[in-house]
Amino acid sequence: MLTLERIKEYAKTDRIALVNRDESLSFAALDARSDAFAAWLLRRFGDDRTPVILYGEKEIDFLCCLFGALKSGRAYVPIDRTVPAERAAQIVADVEPKVMINFGGFAPETGAVILDAAALAEILRSPPEAEPQRSHWVSGEDAAYILFTSGSTGKPKGVSITAANLEAFCKGLLPSYPAGEGGVILHQISYSFDVSGCAVYAGLARGMTLFTIDHTMTENIGVLFAWLKASGLTMWASTPSLAELCARSGAFDERLLPELRQFLFCGEVLTHALCETLAERFPKARVLNAYGPTEATVLVTEAEITEAMRRDARPIPIGRPIQGTKLRLVDGDGREITGDETPGELQILGASVGPGYWRRPDLTERSFFIDAATGLRGYRTGDLCYRRGDLFYYCGRTDNQLKLSGYRVELEDIERNLAALPGIARAAVVPVWKDEKVQYLAAFLLLRGPDGLSHLKRTIRLKRQLAERLPAYMIPRKLFAVEAFPLNVNGKIDKKALAKRLEEAT
């Protein structure tokens, strides 16, 4: 496995693999501690390859356990400590682990061996009698990790990703990284969200240092900027929302991050407004937009955003397929769409497409397939996209529609039209439910700057402008300006928190 091999190579140097506040972890220590954990797993559990649960956040030994599990031939299942206890308990029950690493704050009902931070530290810092052989490492179709995402039934579903999938992801994405080895990459995304792989797998494979930003840092912009100032960051990888949060301050520019050479965004829609802001404040840095569902291993497209793209009225493109990936658009009858600018459901084919959902053959059969023409594994994304030349553009979900006053409404359509209005940087639309029906829509707006208007005057102006772009039933009843959007553990806009704000305000 590429990343494991590279860690072994960099362990012979003095390179730093991870910085977490005042602690650091060298590649040599990462390699030694992950070897020790792998040896303990092999000694304690033998050939039993049941996945290992890792519960925590950004603890420095989390990374050692992650790679230790892989070196022992086992998948790992990360659970962020901010995940509600009931949901975390559901994941543990689904996995039925034999061992769980618990960095604190969770007491599940499980028969697993539970190691707390103290017990784990003793294992990690005890040299193994023998280094785990490469023959033990996960490889090929062995599961490497299982990430649990939201399910339509309200119960999380596990996405299984193999060693071969990760290999394909790294080989496809690394050519887009800054040239040469080394550098410092932002490590803000939770391990339980697949975009963290941009740092954990691709970044470490390039010999980069992961600079940790935890959720408490993002709660105070002054604290966050102080850590960023000391980071020496050369590459930024996050959702757009984190950069938008930072960009609210004029101090977020190349004086704060003088070594920064590249932004990589994924997980949310990238707006023209953010691209313009970054081009102005970080003129030496490339901005890349990317796209990919968890089921296809982090990212399957990327593109550098040019000035022409920033000036184009179309949405910012999600990019071109990375090496080893094939994208296909199909209509409602499953027929391939070959023409430009005709929307269809996006299908992904290639070596990065995972084998399916953990213990859910019914869901796997519905979304995954083997392409008859190529023999490649495929995934039906449910995302609507269109093609223009070799670039793909995202335009919504096939299943993200609501019924309002008898009309079908696409929330992302409204959000895009709001963000296209003068003075609006980003919008999030939240439905308000009553008696299992949507009563009305509310929109939360991140302004590009102060507009000098009262809430009432701003609402009147925006509704008048929206009326020129949308039918009346799609115009939100309530509009609120926000200083910043709340972010969830994945770094995305937390719409549940916005809905709660709305509930408290009414």
Side-chain angles (χ1 to χ4, degrees):
M1 183 176 171
L2 178 63
T3 305
L4 291 179
E5 292 285 359
R6 293 287 175 82
I7 289 173
K8 283 288 183 190
E9 293 175 16
Y10 294 129
K12 300 171 186 176
T13 72
D14 59 357
R15 289 179 184 270
I16 300 299
L18 175 71
V19 172
N20 185 357
R21 292 183 178 263
D22 295 324
E23 293 184 281
S24 64
L25 180 72
S26 67
F27 272 93
L30 172 59
D31 188 46
R33 293 182 194 180
S34 57
D35 276 351
F37 186 53
W40 181 85
L41 288 170
L42 290 165
R43 184 172 63 252
R44 183 69 183 267
F45 299 101
D47 292 331
D48 188 320
R49 295 293 187 263
T50 302
V52 177
I53 295 278
L54 305 180
Y55 179 87
E57 190 185 353
K58 291 290 176 59
E59 293 83 3
I60 206 160
D61 282 337
F62 198 112
L63 196 65
C64 303
C65 294
L66 183 158
F67 286 114
L70 298 179
K71 286 180 175 180
S72 74
R74 292 163 173 80
Y76 64 91
V77 181
I79 306 177
D80 196 276
R81 66 165 70 245
T82 61
V83 170
E86 182 179 351
R87 182 180 176 88
Q90 287 180 330
I91 295 172
V92 172
D94 277 355
V95 175
E96 299 178 300
K98 298 296 174 61
V99 62
M100 173 178 168
I101 307 303
N102 189 350
F103 286 100
F106 183 44
E109 294 183 3
T110 175
V113 174
I114 299 180
L115 299 176
D116 61 16
L120 175 66
E122 185 176 344
I123 292 171
L124 296 184
R125 288 153 183 81
S126 300
E129 296 178 4
E131 179 181 312
Q133 300 298 308
R134 282 172 166 76
S135 60
H136 291 301
W137 292 3
V138 295
S139 62
E141 289 300 295
D142 295 338
Y145 63 66
I146 302 168
L147 298 186
F148 279 80
T149 64
S150 297
S152 58
T153 63
K155 182 180 178 181
K157 59 184 179 183
V159 179
S160 183
I161 294 298
T162 70
N165 295 152
L166 284 169
E167 194 89 358
F169 156 69
C170 285
K171 289 181 178 178
L173 186 64
L174 277 174
S176 302
Y177 275 41
E181 295 183 331
V184 181
I185 186 170
L186 186 70
H187 180 41
Q188 179 262 339
I189 303 295
S190 166
Y191 288 108
S192 62
F193 182 33
D194 64 319
V195 178
S196 63
C198 294
V200 173
Y201 289 102
L204 290 179
R206 184 57 69 84
M208 304 180 85
T209 297
L210 277 55
F211 189 86
T212 302
I213 296 294
D214 59 47
H215 78 277
T216 60
M217 294 178 186
T218 62
E219 293 173 354
N220 184 312
I221 200 71
V223 171
L224 175 61
F225 280 17
W227 284 105
L228 289 176
K229 182 70 175 177
S231 68
L233 210 67
T234 58
M235 181 171 172
W236 180 290
S238 79
T239 59
S241 287
L242 179 66
E244 286 171 339
L245 174 68
C246 293
R248 294 288 290 172
S249 168
F252 186 65
D253 61 18
E254 64 179 0
R255 292 169 297 178
L256 180 71
L257 298 169
E259 305 300 320
L260 190 65
R261 292 295 176 266
Q262 182 166 301
F263 289 92
L264 175 65
F265 294 114
C266 185
E268 293 178 307
V269 172
L270 179 62
T271 65
H272 290 81
L274 180 58
C275 290
E276 289 286 355
T277 298
L278 297 180
E280 177 184 338
R281 298 192 192 175
F282 297 90
K284 299 173 186 174
R286 304 165 66 214
V287 176
L288 274 67
N289 194 28
Y291 159 90
T294 304
E295 289 85 348
T297 318
V298 192
L299 305 178
V300 295
T301 71
E302 62 84 16
E304 180 175 358
I305 305 308
T306 64
E307 181 178 359
M309 293 175 186
R310 299 199 310 268
R311 306 297 183 198
D312 196 336
R314 295 179 181 82
I316 297 295
I318 59 174
R320 303 170 179 87
I322 62 174
Q323 176 186 330
T325 298
K326 176 180 172 59
L327 301 184
R328 182 168 64 196
L329 297 174
V330 299
D331 62 19
D333 295 319
R335 293 179 299 230
E336 184 170 3
I337 297 170
T338 56
D340 273 9
E341 306 201 26
T342 303
E345 182 186 7
L346 185 69
Q347 294 184 349
I348 302 169
L349 297 92
S352 70
V353 176
Y357 297 110
W358 171 255
R359 294 179 174 175
R360 290 301 305 270
D362 55 331
L363 295 180
T364 298
E365 185 177 356
R366 188 182 309 165
S367 298
F368 294 82
F369 62 95
I370 300 298
D371 183 55
T374 63
L376 296 173
R377 186 182 288 150
Y379 173 66
R380 304 177 181 93
T381 66
D383 289 330
L384 289 173
C385 297
Y386 65 88
R387 181 195 299 107
R388 186 169 183 262
D390 62 348
L391 284 171
F392 283 79
Y393 293 76
Y394 174 80
C395 53
R397 289 282 303 169
T398 60
D399 56 2
N400 194 26
Q401 295 180 335
L402 297 173
K403 204 74 173 293
L404 179 63
S405 302
Y407 296 97
R408 290 203 173 275
V409 174
E410 173 67 62
L411 297 184
E412 288 169 318
D413 187 8
I414 302 173
E415 291 170 346
R416 284 195 300 272
N417 278 280
L418 277 165
L421 298 180
I424 306 299
R426 181 179 285 271
V429 177
V430 176
V432 177
W433 296 79
K434 184 178 181 181
D435 299 328
E436 300 183 356
K437 292 183 179 180
V438 178
Q439 296 298 304
Y440 63 90
L441 302 176
F444 292 83
L445 309 171
L446 185 67
L447 305 181
R448 296 196 185 194
D451 59 10
L453 298 177
S454 66
H455 171 73
L456 178 59
K457 288 184 176 180
R458 182 185 303 114
T459 298
I460 292 172
R461 186 186 71 176
L462 291 175
K463 286 189 175 182
R464 184 182 300 121
Q465 292 172 332
L466 272 181
E468 298 175 2
R469 309 172 67 97
L470 296 173
Y473 65 85
M474 292 180 68
I475 297 176
R477 181 186 300 178
K478 297 183 178 181
L479 298 101
F480 302 92
V482 295
E483 288 294 323
F485 284 117
L487 306 183
N488 61 23
V489 67
N490 296 337
K492 297 183 179 182
I493 294 174
D494 190 342
K495 288 194 173 183
K496 289 183 179 179
L498 291 176
K500 187 175 181 180
R501 285 188 192 180
L502 188 62
E503 186 178 320
E504 291 171 350
T506 54

